[in-house]
Every structure is written in structure tokens, then in C-alpha cells.
Amino acid sequence: SKPDPTRAWDRKGYKPSAGLLNGTIATAMSLQATAIAARTQHNYPAPITILRCVFEGTMLPFDRALHLESKYFAQLLTHPVARNIIRTGFVNKGEAGKLARRPRGVPQHRVGRLGVLGAGMMGAGIAYVAAGAGIDVVLLDRSAELAASGKARYAAILAKEVQRGRRTREQADLVLGRVQTTGDFASLAGCDLVVEAVFEDVAIKAEVTRATEAVIASEAVIATNTSTLPITRLAQASARPGKFIGLHFFSPVERMPIVEVIVGKLTDEATLAAALDFVSQLRMTPILVRDSRGFYTSRVFQTFIHEGMALLAAGVAPALIENAARLAGFPVGPLALLDEVTLELPWKIIEEYRAEAGAAFVEPCGHGVLQRMLEELGRPGKRQGKGFYDYPAERKKHLWPGLAQAFPPTAVQPSLQEVKDRLLYIQALETARCLEEGVLTDPADGDVGSVLAWGYPSWTGGTLSFIDTVGIRRFVTECQRMAEAYGPRFAPSAWLRRRAERNEPFYATPDIRA
């Protein structure tokens, strides 16, 4: 039998729902509103607007309901959140994926054989992603056994994918078959590109760079995977620094589809083009960054975790800090994030910077908390089972009760909005400094990087889109207020103040409220 093409609302005498008088609808809509608020934290207007549209539409004649839907759609389409998500998540991310920053006129470069130095979590992850993209990989470590253990880690991941039906056994075997493990540098001969992913130590990286250059072709590229060490400094170990570049992958590599491509002072255009082509071959998104300590992502990420510690040191309740971050749209709070990366990592970065900067060293705002947590309280993070959180075996993690004694909360707490603003503003301000200093060459890279690399809330569109959404004049005014209240780290530069005076946004279409 043929289905009836006439819908219920097109029949004469159709009556819409009784709305709240209909118990089923009233219950469903009430529960859904709460569930949406829990999921979006009121940062994303579309889900709750869709619910309103459905609910109100059920109580109207169909033509009126369609008219209402059009009005709601127009309202959402012109909302700053829609603009931010579309611009960063689709337009700018798409442009980055198409290699918008690739030097023109340089021939296409395709990696057929890749070398990866270091079979730890990062190196093995890079090898796994490359093999999955159809590239033959030589995975090298201090011994063939260590290299094989790195491969085995991803063999287990592939086995789970087969078990869940995401790959066939033949596909998994094909990926594994592309990875050759070795402890011999001679095996790198014939590699078009080598990614060095060894321990974050200048001397160790220099040693493996020299050993690699002894066996690879003169036109092959060496890319160092580092999160903080300056590329130009690491390139000093190379006999051909023009062929040396930074490729900062994020962990876990297979789930983080972004790579920070860092150009050293001597990196040539052909090497930059080859590095961008390689990232594209991996089906990942590159952002282009100029060389400096911390580059872009690590530098701005540091402001997030340090501001979290500064809030704790100032007597803000740890639960307020963590909840404010999540309500602002961050995946986790700064204290939980510190536990994940371990407190020893930012401490090591601080000490390296202290040694390098000498008299110019400026102690970051979270330094005192870090020092007490590590040296006095002995709580280095999740790996050791104790940090800002406790990690009981049979229960979910929870904030360490001893924080109240170590960092007593003040009697009067700041507002939720003030804590959210401090976390959002400090990162946006540091990104603006990166653009001013030429570390970033385009606002789009700053926005795409902040959303994909460390989870800056996507409703903002990223750190620089956040400034445009707030309005640059209001942003600078708020930064000046916070600088007076919390310290010079919030002080906007003269460059940013001049932009605010001209009401000059980072994108051509500022928010209408600016």
C-alpha cells in the first residue's frame, strides 16, 4: 500500500498539542531543559532554542509554527556564538587544512618513508598515525626491544579496534606491517623526513640529530617534536639548519588532530612546505608559529594553569576554581589539568627558563603553589596518586581535603563570573601578545590552535575571537581593571591599547556590541 502523503497538520480540523496541559510534553520538556543546561552550561544557545521552538510550535497552527521556527533560526544565525563556531570550526580550520600558510611556488612533497626517533607515547603515536595514513615508518629507540614495546602498545589499540568492528584484522595487520622497529640509526637511510620525539633535553636531542644526519639524504628534513625548547637553539646541532623545523604533536596523537609547525630562524621555505605537506598527509590540521620559548600553545596553556594556581594562592576555594572553568566551557579545571600533566612538567619549564633568562627571569604567578605542592607537600600529580586531587582505587577522584589547610580559603569569595573571566581573559591576552610579537602570523592560527590544542571553549571561537566577541575596548578596560587588582600579568600592551582606541578588531566583522 502507498503511504498517505498528507501530514496530520495539513488536514482540516487539525488541532495542535495542549502544551503544558499535556502531561507527557510537560514532563519531557522540563527534563530536557535541565539536561541541556547541564550539557551546554548555557554557553551554547542552539540546543535550548531548538527545544523552545519545538515546544512553542506544538501549541500553534502549523504555518505560525514555521514562521516561529524561521525567527528562531535567524536569531541563532546572527548570534556571536554561531559566527565564532562557523568561522573557527569550519572556515579557519578548513583553510588551515588546505595549507593556507604554505609557501607558494614550492613543489609538493610527499613522505614515502618516515623515521621516528623515540618509541615512547609520543613517538609511537606519531608512528601509528603515519602508518594509518599509508606511510612506511622506521621506529627507532635506544634498543630494538624498546622500539618493539612502543609498537606493541599500538598493536593493542588496533586489536581493540578490530574487536569493536572499527577495522578488519587485515586492515590492522596492514598498519602494523608498515612499522619497522630498530635500535640502529643506519635503518633511517632512505627516510624522506625524520621526526625526533626523544626526551626534552637539548643535549640528547643534539646527539640524535647528529646521528640521524650521518645516514639520511642531504635533502631530507629533520623535525623535532618539542613543546618548549626553541627550534633555532636545537638547530645548532644540525649541519644543515635550513632543513630543520619543529613539529609539535599533542598527546594522545591519535586523538589530537592538530600539529604546531614551528619555523626556526634558519628554516627554509622548502622545509616549511614539506612539513605542512606531511601534516596534511597525516590528515591533521597545522597551525604556523614562529620560534620563541613555549611557541604559542605551550606558552598560552601555561597562563591557564598558572592562573588557576594564583587563584588558589589568593584564597579562592578550589571547587570554585574548577567549577568556574567547566562552566566557562573548558573540558576540565586548571588544577585537574595540572594533575594530569604532572606538576613536575611546569616546574621543569620554569627552571629551564630561569637558567636561560638570568636577570630577566620573571617568576610566574603560580610558582609558589607549585613549589609548595612539590617540595613541602609532596603531591606531584595523578601519576603518583596525589596532587590537587586524591585518586582512591575504588572511587572517583576528588579534591584533596588538605588543600583547605595548605591554602586556606578567604571568608569572602569572588563571584563565579570573576573567576571565569580571569581564566578566559589571561589566555586571550597572552595570545594577543603572541600576535603582536610575530609568534603568530595570523589570528586564525591562534583561534584554531586554542580550541583544538588545549580546549579553549569553542563557543568563544578561540582566544582572539573571544576578544572580538567581548569587544576590544571592553576587553582592554577589563584587563586594566584586573591588572590593578591582581598584578601586571593582566596589563594590556601599548599595541593592544592603540587597537582598542581605534576599535580595531582581529577580524573584519566585529561584534555589533563592540
Side-chain angles (χ1 to χ4, degrees):
S1 64
K2 294 181 180 179
D4 186 353
T6 306
R7 308 303 293 174
W9 49 78
D10 290 326
R11 293 193 183 99
K12 189 174 181 179
Y14 167 77
K15 290 184 179 180
S17 156
L20 285 174
L21 297 178
N22 182 318
T24 302
I25 289 179
T27 301
M29 293 295 171
S30 300
L31 294 175
Q32 279 298 313
T34 305
I36 287 170
R39 192 169 70 248
T40 66
Q41 312 296 352
H42 302 285
N43 292 321
Y44 299 88
I48 196 68
T49 302
I50 292 167
L51 187 68
R52 289 177 63 187
C53 185
V54 171
F55 175 63
E56 294 172 20
T58 61
M59 295 185 285
L60 294 171
F62 193 69
D63 289 345
R64 291 287 305 277
L66 286 175
H67 180 67
L68 177 75
E69 183 182 43
S70 297
K71 290 181 71 174
Y72 274 136
F73 179 73
Q75 185 184 80
L76 288 175
L77 193 61
T78 56
H79 197 284
V81 170
R83 178 204 60 200
N84 291 343
I85 292 173
I86 291 169
R87 183 169 60 202
T88 297
F90 293 91
V91 178
N92 289 345
K93 183 175 179 291
E95 288 295 308
K98 294 174 187 172
L99 309 186
R101 245 64 80 200
R102 188 184 190 276
R104 305 296 174 216
V106 180
Q108 197 77 18
H109 183 277
R110 187 165 182 83
V111 175
R113 184 176 170 87
L114 172 73
V116 179
L117 312 182
M121 284 290 290
M122 187 64 74
I126 295 167
Y128 167 73
V129 169
I135 301 171
D136 292 329
V137 181
V138 178
L139 181 60
L140 180 146
D141 212 308
R142 292 193 306 273
S143 68
E145 291 76 21
L146 284 171
S149 69
K151 180 177 178 179
R153 190 180 301 118
Y154 280 89
I157 291 175
L158 281 165
K160 286 181 182 176
E161 290 187 357
V162 172
Q163 188 179 2
R164 293 168 182 164
R166 293 177 184 169
R167 292 182 197 256
T168 65
R169 182 70 261 174
E170 292 74 20
Q171 289 171 331
D173 289 342
L174 189 61
V175 171
L176 282 174
R178 293 193 185 109
V179 181
Q180 169 196 346
T181 56
T182 182
D184 185 1
F185 276 88
S187 301
L188 296 174
C191 287
D192 308 299
L193 188 147
V194 175
V195 177
E196 167 269 297
V198 301
F199 189 68
E200 287 281 271
D201 181 275
V202 173
I204 296 172
K205 287 181 181 290
E207 181 184 339
V208 299
T209 296
R210 286 189 286 266
T212 299
E213 288 185 348
V215 295
I216 62 173
S218 59
E219 66 274 11
V221 171
I222 294 183
T224 178
N225 176 72
T226 178
S227 58
T228 58
L229 298 173
I231 303 304
T232 305
R233 181 182 175 194
L234 294 177
Q236 291 173 358
S238 173
R240 45 207 180 117
K243 293 292 177 186
F244 195 94
I245 196 166
L247 286 180
H248 177 204
F249 290 83
F250 297 82
S251 184
V253 180
E254 68 275 13
R255 294 209 302 269
M256 297 292 287
I258 181 170
V259 181
E260 193 174 25
V261 180
I262 308 116
V263 179
K265 289 181 181 176
L266 299 177
T267 303
D268 61 40
E269 285 201 339
T271 299
L272 171 58
L276 289 168
D277 290 342
F278 171 60
V279 175
S280 178
Q281 213 175 326
L282 297 180
R283 297 185 286 274
M284 300 176 90
T285 301
I287 59 168
L288 180 62
V289 177
R290 300 294 174 186
D291 194 18
S292 70
R293 173 159 284 278
F295 317 128
Y296 165 57
T297 57
S298 294
R299 172 173 165 178
V300 180
F301 169 77
Q302 291 282 321
T303 66
F304 177 47
I305 57 176
H306 278 286
E307 196 61 31
M309 289 186 285
L311 284 159
L312 185 67
V316 179
L320 176 55
I321 299 168
E322 298 293 85
N323 287 331
R326 286 194 293 269
L327 288 167
F330 291 97
V332 294
L335 305 182
L337 198 52
L338 267 159
D339 274 6
E340 292 287 338
V341 302
T342 77
L343 280 69
E344 291 158 333
L345 178 61
W347 181 260
K348 181 175 181 289
I349 291 169
I350 290 170
E351 292 307 299
E352 285 174 351
Y353 176 47
R354 186 197 302 273
E356 184 180 301
F361 172 74
V362 177
E363 197 172 86
C365 60
H367 180 271
V369 173
L370 265 183
Q371 188 168 28
R372 285 194 64 198
M373 289 290 289
L374 288 170
E375 296 180 356
E376 179 186 328
L377 303 170
R379 301 186 65 87
K382 182 180 178 180
R383 192 182 303 160
Q384 288 78 13
K386 52 183 183 177
F388 293 104
Y389 285 75
D390 275 333
Y391 299 87
E394 304 300 325
R395 290 185 294 133
K396 289 178 69 174
K397 72 178 185 183
H398 55 81
L399 283 162
W400 175 47
L403 284 176
Q405 287 74 47
F407 306 98
T410 55
V412 178
Q413 292 287 297
S415 70
L416 175 66
Q417 189 60 47
E418 182 72 355
V419 180
K420 288 163 70 173
D421 284 349
R422 281 179 65 171
L423 296 172
L424 289 164
Y425 273 67
I426 194 67
Q427 296 175 73
L429 182 60
E430 193 65 24
T431 302
R433 291 181 184 128
C434 288
L435 192 66
E436 177 185 357
E437 295 167 17
V439 175
L440 288 171
T441 61
D442 193 288
D445 286 327
D447 279 345
V448 171
S450 63
V451 171
L452 293 185
W454 73 89
Y456 196 82
S458 60
W459 66 266
T460 67
T463 42
L464 294 173
S465 283
F466 174 74
I467 297 177
D468 279 4
T469 303
V470 168
I472 192 166
R473 285 177 173 166
R474 179 183 160 201
F475 180 84
V476 165
T477 300
E478 281 295 287
C479 284
Q480 289 169 330
R481 177 188 68 78
M482 286 192 257
E484 292 173 9
Y486 310 121
R489 64 186 178 278
F490 280 101
S493 67
W495 174 84
L496 192 61
R497 290 198 307 273
R498 285 195 298 272
R499 286 188 78 114
E501 287 165 8
R502 298 192 301 268
N503 199 23
E504 181 184 347
F506 292 101
Y507 293 95
T509 52
D511 186 72
I512 57 173
R513 297 169 297 173

